[in-house]
Amino acid sequence: MIFTATFLTLCLKLLLIPAYRSTDFEVHRNWMAITHSLPLKQWYYENTSEWTLDYPPLFAYFEYLLSLIASCFDKKMLIVQNLNYASDETILFQRLSVIFTDLVFAYGTHKCCSSIQKSWRTDVVLPILLITNCGLIMVDHIHFQYNGILYGILLLSLAYAIQGRYLLSGFWFAVLLNMKHIYIYLAPAYFVFFLKNYCLNSKHSKFQIKNFIMLGSTVLAVFLATFLPFHNQLGQVFARLFPFKRGLCHAYWAPNFWALYNTLDKAAFFIMSKMGFLAKKSSVASMTGGLVQEFSHEVLPNVTPLVTMILTGVVMLPALIKLWSLNKHPSNFLRCIVLCALSSFLFGWHVHEKAILMAIIPLSILSIMDLSDAKTFILLGIVGHYSLFPLLFPSSLLFVQGLPVRRPQLFVSFVKLH
Amino acid sequence: MFCVKLSCEVWLVILGALVAVLLRACTTLHPYSGAGSPPMYGDYEAQRHWMEITTNLRPLEWYKNTTDNDLMYWGLDYPPLTAYHMYLTGKIGSFLNENWTKLHESRGFEGESHKIFMRYTVLAADIVMYIPALIFYFHAMGGQSPDPKTRPLSPSLATILGLLYPGIILIDHGHFQYNCISLGLLVLATSCLLLDMNLTAAIFFTSALNYKQMELYHALPFFMYMLSSCVPKPGQSLTSSLIKLAQIAITVMAVFAILWAPFNRDFFAVLRRLFPLDRGVFEDKVSNFWCVFNIFYKLKLKFGNYEMMRICLFATVSMVFPSSVDLFLRPSRKKFVLSLINSSLAFFLFSYQVHEKSILLVGVPVVLYFPQKPFVCFWFLCISVFSMLPLLYKDGLIIATIALMLFYVISFRVSIEHFYRSSLNASDGLAEYYRSLLHVLLDIEYKQATQIDILKLTYKQIVKNKETLKNLAFHVVLVTSLIGCLVLSFALLVFEPPERYPDLFPLLISAYSALHFFGFFLYFNVKQLQIPQEFDAIKNVKIKSS
């Protein structure tokens, strides 16, 4: 079933090659050009394009590997000065690179399915739910990003965690963190679960120092290997990785708490200026203008990154404490992962709407373990994927958008029949 | 909950239809024929030009060469129903943006929003006509499944595979045409005919014919079948059959009269537009008899167009003859679809002025025949897409072709596997099937005996398992043929043809597919002739009269 689902979606992805592309297409082309044509030392300093490299080094290495193959397609796409370059070969190569790195996702799915007790659900339902996840297809193959490989690694890590092979799981999670640091939101769940079940012996609550060192050194080794070439410019790298100047919300507001907060602020400002409380003319802040920038609230207090961090931490805390008290059944761990992803999505700083996939994908695994989770999954799946629609604004994609969303519904009702 | 009441099969069909629409919607993202290539552009511009003509001129001028209607530039050469359809969509289009259909000025209009509009008109036509028609056909035919040994593919699987047939998706949503309407009407007509609703069938088929004159490829089987149903059978009076015949004739004529009402004065002028003789026996490279014959013997130098047309007519009539006469003399429901295939294939192979796209007219009846002989039909449908490859290559639809073919082949494999699993009761499906084929051969190896004994045993085994071996041989041939297609496609895409023969690969492709089509023509003819006459029509009458 995995093979069939993989190849059928592969055909769909091939069909989507000429579809609309967002600026992320240019972003990744630019990164490929940077890594290919500049020495390592300049990767995080280069700023010819406005889309500077802001993923961790491991992803930069990945782009470098891609650029080696890209030079067989069209050498011109590897020139940093060629801004917005999109020849047919470039499009073909970039699209194909996403399609083929998606095979990692298929492998991750296979690992996940084989680590759960074998049944009809793991053989058929889970592969379909994961591989035909329409959010991932929309974000990767229309909007253009490399989430397939990243979520593939996440699934791999989750699969090892489910099997109880914590070292491997930790290793892959560290690799993932070094490819895209947004997954740090899931780290608290990993930390608590590993500390409880790997570093503390469940029977005697005795601290297993050997396990702790092994895990710690594995994770550290991955980080060292990634960041070592950049050891004398860490400040610059981190300034690129965590651009707090980008503002509370993304250009398109992610459907989270801050969107409500902004709306409330706007409404309050509107009402108060009508009633004459606000005499001074404010610079009308355009929060959805498209450009990513800082802005200030009019009525409500301004939000700083620290506030969002604390708030996210506070919201996560109950789930983490609960996870500490529960046994090491994988469903507890997965549920905590979903909750961590959701709390960071709701309260995080500069959240993209794509980040909802971080909750939906682990929840798909959870949904086949437990019926009540399956119900949540249907709801979150539909709403979450619906929230991705603004990413694909051209009307030529109207049909493409509308149809896949109904698919999870269908699959799930299909599942219930059996 | 009400959705639980729907059976698994229904869910499968709904899912299949949604996937089919999704694939169509994704194909619309690809380029259309003649995109950005003035001065003549392609079929996309032809359809847009017809919208321009029909919305701006009076019906009387549609088919006439006037100062406002230059027939040399994509003049309207389809029957009135197409014109009305273009009028309707043109009106909607001009409501959305009047620049799309402005007389003269809109010539060669291209734009992203216009492309979306045009694509959506096809998608709407497909969703309204072709997809429901196919679902209806397989639903209506689904009931009859006799003994389990020759059990056909289940209707739901056949529907899905029919909807996924890449040929029609690529031509309608990629290349840009409205075949889904005429072919949808054909499918509706066929289902009505097989449900003994002759008059409805006549209306649908006449409409199809009035949408696209190419539907003449299917006219003979309809005519013969309806005529034979009017021949008085034992126990029927002559008058009742004459009334039946008159009813059909009046229906057909009424449909024609309504649709042709605005043009009745210059009927023959329109007819001349619909059947242009001066276009030559074939355009580009077509996988039919004349194109292959032309390699050895340059037809266009030897014969004038008129002469050639008569030769083609004679050849076509003599090739359609066996299947049509058989259908008339020994009518049977089971052979009707086969005779549709035979008639349209004969027209495709031997008639005058054939386009490579006309293979769709054969493809759709083959889709309808799919449940009976899945493997042969699958083979035919693959070859039919392959025969259009040079055209698709020219349109820039190669990626779409690869994706859709891959999707189709995988779906076919999965469906067949599912089918064998349920029919053979084996857990392994297709693998089990192939193992049972190989078992025959392996069984011989195990016997340790003298040489003569081995030969005897082998012979015995072969005789005993003749059917299985025949199957094995068939599968080997099928795979070899498809690999041949792959090799030729690869050559077309990758290699530069030698300078002396710039058309080498398209010609090779059309010859290769034509060879297959001859084989299929013989096969389907034999299949049709093997089916005996159906007597239950007479039985019913006797029961009624007694």
Side-chain angles (χ1 to χ4, degrees):
Chain A
M1 200 61 213
I2 288 183
F3 271 104
T4 315
T6 311
F7 280 108
L8 288 184
T9 43
L10 187 131
C11 298
L12 189 68
K13 291 165 187 172
L14 282 177
L15 271 182
L16 286 172
I17 284 179
Y20 150 84
R21 304 174 296 275
S22 76
T23 47
D24 277 342
F25 182 81
E26 167 64 11
V27 171
H28 286 100
R29 188 210 59 78
N30 184 44
W31 293 356
M32 217 152 61
I34 290 175
T35 50
H36 189 80
S37 48
L38 294 177
L40 197 97
K41 300 283 166 212
Q42 290 172 31
W43 285 2
Y44 284 92
Y45 283 101
E46 164 60 42
N47 60 356
T48 310
S49 160
E50 57 178 317
W51 313 116
T52 50
L53 185 56
D54 58 5
Y55 276 24
L58 203 55
F59 197 81
Y61 304 146
F62 168 69
E63 290 278 5
Y64 176 71
L65 285 182
L66 284 183
S67 74
L68 295 180
I69 310 166
S71 59
C72 308
F73 278 72
D74 186 354
K75 283 206 162 59
K76 282 188 196 137
M77 76 169 115
L78 296 174
I79 300 169
V80 180
Q81 279 73 27
N82 264 348
L83 296 183
N84 293 315
Y85 183 77
S87 66
D88 286 349
E89 289 84 6
T90 311
I91 295 172
L92 189 67
F93 170 73
Q94 294 239 71
R95 289 285 196 199
L96 285 181
S97 69
V98 183
I99 292 171
F100 281 103
T101 50
D102 260 9
L103 293 179
V104 177
F105 188 78
Y107 181 69
T109 310
H110 166 72
K111 274 282 171 193
C112 268
C113 296
S114 55
S115 49
I116 303 170
Q117 197 184 19
K118 197 174 154 67
S119 71
W120 185 78
R121 285 176 176 181
T122 58
D123 282 351
V124 179
V125 184
L126 189 56
I128 290 178
L129 283 180
L130 285 175
I131 287 174
T132 66
N133 182 307
C134 60
L136 204 55
I137 292 177
M138 283 194 278
V139 172
D140 273 12
H141 301 276
I142 300 176
H143 179 84
F144 197 85
Q145 276 193 342
Y146 287 95
N147 287 303
I149 182 168
L150 299 173
Y151 282 106
I153 295 174
L154 177 65
L155 286 181
L156 210 57
S157 164
L158 290 177
Y160 284 126
I162 292 170
Q163 291 171 8
R165 296 158 79 179
Y166 299 113
L167 261 186
L168 271 171
S169 173
F171 170 76
W172 284 113
F173 188 67
V175 168
L176 182 66
L177 273 182
N178 281 302
M179 285 191 85
K180 193 173 178 180
H181 48 301
I182 189 151
Y183 293 96
I184 202 151
Y185 285 133
L186 305 183
Y190 267 90
F191 181 73
V192 170
F193 187 68
F194 280 29
L195 196 64
K196 169 85 192 297
N197 297 308
Y198 187 61
C199 301
L200 284 181
N201 198 321
S202 50
K203 268 179 195 159
H204 321 95
S205 294
K206 212 175 96 191
F207 194 65
Q208 302 259 336
I209 195 82
K210 195 182 122 213
N211 285 355
F212 181 73
I213 289 173
M214 288 236 294
L215 187 64
S217 52
T218 312
V219 174
L220 268 184
V222 175
F223 272 89
L224 265 182
T226 331
F227 280 94
L228 203 59
F230 301 94
H231 62 96
N232 49 3
Q233 39 171 298
L234 281 179
Q236 171 67 13
V237 173
F238 279 101
R240 284 280 175 85
L241 292 190
F242 299 99
F244 285 116
K245 287 204 175 74
R246 281 204 186 162
L248 179 61
C249 292
H250 187 54
Y252 298 105
W253 295 357
N256 63 3
F257 177 75
W258 303 119
L260 293 178
Y261 189 79
N262 285 346
T263 318
L264 195 66
D265 180 59
K266 287 249 164 185
F269 174 70
F270 182 74
I271 294 166
M272 286 173 85
S273 59
K274 280 273 167 190
M275 290 167 69
F277 285 117
L278 287 174
K280 74 169 175 157
K281 185 149 172 17
S282 77
S283 55
V284 178
S286 66
M287 284 181 258
T288 51
L291 263 174
V292 181
Q293 60 188 4
E294 277 187 286
F295 63 88
S296 54
H297 289 105
E298 302 296 338
V299 184
L300 299 174
N302 266 333
V303 181
T304 60
L306 192 66
V307 174
T308 61
M309 258 192 253
I310 293 169
L311 208 55
T312 314
V314 169
V315 176
M316 274 181 192
L317 214 53
L320 294 175
I321 294 170
K322 182 80 183 163
L323 179 67
W324 182 266
S325 67
L326 288 171
N327 64 2
K328 61 176 180 179
H329 193 268
S331 71
N332 299 327
F333 175 53
L334 285 170
R335 207 169 282 130
C336 187
I337 290 262
V338 173
L339 283 171
C340 281
L342 277 178
S343 20
S344 58
F345 180 78
L346 285 177
F347 295 100
W349 178 263
H350 194 76
V351 177
H352 287 236
E353 56 278 70
K354 293 154 241 168
I356 192 66
L357 289 177
M358 226 153 65
I360 293 178
I361 287 174
L363 188 58
S364 343
I365 311 174
L366 199 57
S367 74
I368 63 154
M369 295 179 167
D370 196 337
L371 193 67
S372 63
D373 287 317
K375 283 174 188 161
T376 327
F377 172 71
I378 300 177
L379 203 64
L380 184 70
I382 291 169
V383 176
H385 292 148
Y386 175 72
S387 75
L388 289 175
F389 277 10
L391 284 182
L392 326 168
F393 62 88
S395 45
S396 60
L397 291 168
L398 201 74
F399 258 96
V400 184
Q401 294 169 7
L403 292 164
V405 169
R406 250 150 255 141
R407 278 171 39 172
Q409 262 172 307
L410 269 173
F411 279 130
V412 175
S413 24
F414 207 68
V415 170
K416 283 197 180 147
L417 284 174
H418 287 266
Chain B
M1 255 159 73
F2 76 97
C3 61
V4 179
K5 280 178 193 157
L6 293 175
S7 73
C8 193
E9 300 270 294
V10 177
W11 277 116
L12 208 58
V13 172
I14 294 174
L15 189 70
L18 281 181
V19 170
V21 176
L22 179 66
L23 288 184
R24 283 161 165 78
C26 291
T27 314
T28 63
L29 301 169
H30 290 256
Y32 47 82
S33 73
S37 58
M40 283 307 269
Y41 301 95
D43 276 340
Y44 176 85
E45 168 63 10
Q47 301 283 355
R48 195 212 54 76
H49 180 68
W50 293 351
M51 289 182 197
E52 172 195 334
I53 293 298
T54 49
T55 46
N56 286 300
L57 303 178
R58 284 175 300 125
L60 272 181
E61 294 172 303
W62 288 354
Y63 290 95
K64 272 190 196 149
N65 203 5
T66 60
T67 49
D68 284 334
N69 187 9
D70 176 14
L71 287 186
M72 290 309 287
Y73 183 79
W74 298 116
L76 189 55
D77 55 3
Y78 274 20
L81 202 54
T82 295
Y84 300 142
H85 178 219
M86 288 298 104
Y87 175 77
L88 195 73
T89 49
K91 276 288 172 200
I92 298 171
S94 65
F95 171 73
L96 294 172
N97 184 346
E98 55 179 16
N99 291 331
W100 290 348
T101 52
K102 249 185 198 156
L103 197 59
H104 302 307
E105 284 168 32
S106 64
R107 202 171 266 198
F109 189 96
E110 284 180 303
E112 195 51 36
S113 55
H114 185 242
K115 180 183 171 187
I116 294 167
F117 165 72
M118 295 289 272
R119 292 298 203 192
Y120 276 13
T121 57
V122 186
L123 206 52
D126 208 336
I127 292 171
V128 171
M129 285 299 311
Y130 182 70
I131 295 177
L134 215 56
I135 294 173
F136 175 68
Y137 173 84
F138 284 113
H139 176 73
M141 298 303 114
Q144 31 191 300
S145 113
D147 61 316
K149 220 177 178 186
T150 58
R151 207 177 60 149
L153 206 62
S154 79
S156 51
L157 289 180
T159 315
I160 293 173
L161 287 175
L163 291 176
L164 294 181
Y165 170 49
I168 194 160
I169 303 180
L170 284 168
I171 293 298
D172 275 13
H173 302 272
H175 175 86
F176 201 88
Q177 276 194 337
Y178 292 92
N179 291 304
C180 45
I181 296 192
S182 52
L183 293 174
L185 285 168
L186 168 78
V187 175
L188 280 180
T190 311
S191 7
C192 290
L193 196 72
L194 296 180
L195 292 173
D196 281 331
M197 308 191 314
N198 279 359
L199 291 185
T200 342
I203 293 173
F204 280 130
F205 185 70
T206 323
S207 312
L209 197 58
N210 273 303
Y211 193 88
K212 214 171 174 180
Q213 65 271 41
M214 294 294 173
E215 284 298 324
L216 274 178
Y217 285 19
H218 299 129
L220 267 178
F222 274 95
F223 178 72
M224 292 298 177
Y225 191 83
M226 287 191 189
L227 197 66
S228 77
S229 76
C230 295
V231 170
K233 306 198 173 59
Q236 281 177 318
S237 71
L238 188 64
T239 43
S240 73
S241 8
L242 274 180
I243 289 170
K244 241 177 161 180
L245 189 65
Q247 275 175 334
I248 293 172
I250 288 169
T251 316
V252 171
M253 281 197 286
V255 174
F256 262 98
I258 293 166
L259 291 176
W260 285 74
F263 314 102
N264 54 1
R265 253 181 285 161
D266 35 30
F267 181 76
F268 289 101
V270 178
L271 268 194
R272 223 167 296 132
R273 290 283 316 147
L274 301 189
F275 301 100
L277 291 183
D278 45 346
R279 284 232 200 134
V281 60
F282 53 81
E283 284 175 17
D284 290 338
K285 296 281 171 283
V286 182
S287 327
N288 73 356
F289 175 74
W290 303 116
C291 194
V292 174
F293 196 59
N294 199 38
I295 301 173
F296 312 105
Y297 188 83
K298 294 292 170 221
L299 290 164
K300 285 183 181 175
L301 300 178
K302 294 279 174 181
F303 302 105
N305 277 337
Y306 189 67
E307 224 173 346
M308 194 61 226
M309 200 260 311
R310 289 186 14 183
I311 297 172
C312 289
L313 187 67
F314 175 73
T316 314
V317 168
S318 48
M319 285 300 160
V320 181
F321 191 75
S323 101
S324 291
V325 169
D326 172 61
L327 185 68
F328 178 68
L329 294 178
R330 313 186 308 156
S332 155
R333 256 192 218 105
K334 279 182 200 143
K335 64 171 69 164
F336 179 68
V337 172
L338 273 169
S339 80
L340 278 182
I341 298 174
N342 288 328
S343 157
S344 50
L345 199 49
F347 271 93
F348 179 81
L349 286 173
F350 296 102
S351 78
Y352 187 75
Q353 243 282 293
V354 177
H355 287 263
E356 60 273 65
K357 285 160 274 179
S358 303
I359 195 64
L360 290 185
L361 292 164
V362 195
V364 169
V366 174
V367 165
L368 301 185
Y369 189 63
F370 206 93
Q372 271 71 35
K373 290 274 169 217
F375 279 102
V376 179
C377 292
F378 170 73
W379 189 7
F380 178 90
L381 294 174
C382 285
I383 298 281
S384 78
V385 176
F386 173 71
S387 77
M388 292 189 289
L389 199 68
L391 175 79
L392 299 169
Y393 180 59
K394 216 164 57 188
D395 289 342
L397 290 169
I398 285 302
I399 294 174
T401 313
I402 293 171
L404 287 173
M405 274 313 284
L406 203 58
F407 200 99
Y408 186 64
V409 171
I410 295 168
S411 325
F412 174 74
R413 203 205 163 289
V414 174
S415 319
I416 286 294
E417 173 122 13
H418 178 82
F419 167 63
Y420 276 117
R421 196 178 291 165
S422 54
S423 76
L424 293 181
N425 243 340
S427 58
D428 244 358
L430 205 60
E432 185 65 30
Y433 176 75
Y434 282 118
R435 203 170 302 139
S436 78
L437 289 182
L438 281 176
H439 183 74
V440 178
L441 300 174
L442 292 176
D443 216 27
I444 304 162
E445 304 263 328
Y446 286 128
K447 317 240 182 222
Q448 305 255 319
T450 59
Q451 276 200 329
I452 298 165
D453 274 354
I454 285 179
L455 281 180
K456 258 188 199 164
L457 280 169
T458 315
Y459 181 72
K460 259 189 204 162
Q461 279 288 73
I462 288 174
V463 172
K464 212 166 78 188
N465 298 292
K466 223 166 76 184
E467 277 305 304
T468 330
L469 281 175
K470 239 161 76 184
N471 263 334
L472 186 69
F474 170 72
H475 284 242
V476 169
V477 171
L478 174 87
V479 170
T480 334
S481 143
L482 292 183
I483 287 173
C485 288
L486 272 184
V487 170
L488 274 177
S489 321
F490 188 75
L492 174 77
L493 299 181
V494 176
F495 296 123
E496 285 286 319
E499 250 171 58
R500 269 187 68 199
Y501 309 101
D503 279 343
L504 177 70
F505 294 127
L507 198 66
L508 276 181
I509 287 176
S510 58
Y512 188 79
S513 347
L515 209 67
H516 280 84
F517 291 147
F518 286 123
F520 286 119
F521 184 62
L522 283 179
Y523 173 83
F524 285 123
N525 264 301
V526 170
K527 274 278 153 211
Q528 185 193 341
L529 296 176
Q530 274 175 351
I531 297 175
Q533 187 174 358
E534 194 178 40
F535 287 102
D536 45 55
I538 302 167
K539 263 188 239 156
N540 286 343
V541 173
K542 271 184 182 167
I543 291 160
K544 268 180 207 163
S545 60
S546 61

